[in-house]
Amino acid sequence: MRTVEVLRLAVAGGHAVRLLEPRRTPVLDAVLAVRQTAQAVLVSRSGSPDAHTASAVVDVLHGASMVPVALLGGRLRRFAAVQLVLAAALAVAEVTAVGRGRSRGRR
């Protein structure tokens, strides 16, 4: 398992922990915990550059969906801003994991 999947599982764990606390976003935290876990498992099992690229696209789309919420979201503004930063960081990590498209140790 690469570092990016471990980071993604940590993010999922953070969302799961938030479910145990009285928060305003339990449904969002539950959905994101499941999505991040599934994404980490699927990418880790595949391990292909295409899987990392698809995962980065999912992160970019998630981040893009958070922009209007971060700008106009009222009570969800902070949550969306954190999600935007996490999505950007995970997308960069996925792209870094792909590198130049060559698997490590192979020619």
Side-chain angles (χ1 to χ4, degrees), residues 3-19:
T3 303
V4 66
E5 283 85 30
V6 173
L7 291 173
R8 189 175 300 286
L9 288 173
V11 169
H15 285 292
V17 167
R18 284 173 52 100
L19 290 171

Side-chain angles (χ1 to χ4, degrees), residues 12-23 25-31 33:
H15 285 292
V17 167
R18 284 173 52 100
L19 290 171
L20 304 173
E21 302 170 358
R23 298 279 179 173
T25 59
V27 173
L28 293 174
D29 285 316
V31 168

Side-chain angles (χ1 to χ4, degrees), residues 4 16 27 33 37 39-40 45 53 57 67 73 88 94 96 101 104-105 107:
V4 66
V27 173
T37 301
Q39 196 170 339
R45 286 186 52 90
T53 301
V57 169
V67 170
E94 290 289 4
T96 302
R104 291 184 180 158
R107 290 184 179 225

Side-chain angles (χ1 to χ4, degrees), residues 64-75:
S65 74
M66 291 293 108
V67 170
V69 181
L71 294 175
L72 308 170
R75 69 179 184 90

Side-chain angles (χ1 to χ4, degrees), residues 44-60:
S44 180
R45 286 186 52 90
S46 172
S48 73
D50 288 343
H52 286 285
T53 301
S55 186
V57 169
V58 169
D59 291 325
V60 168

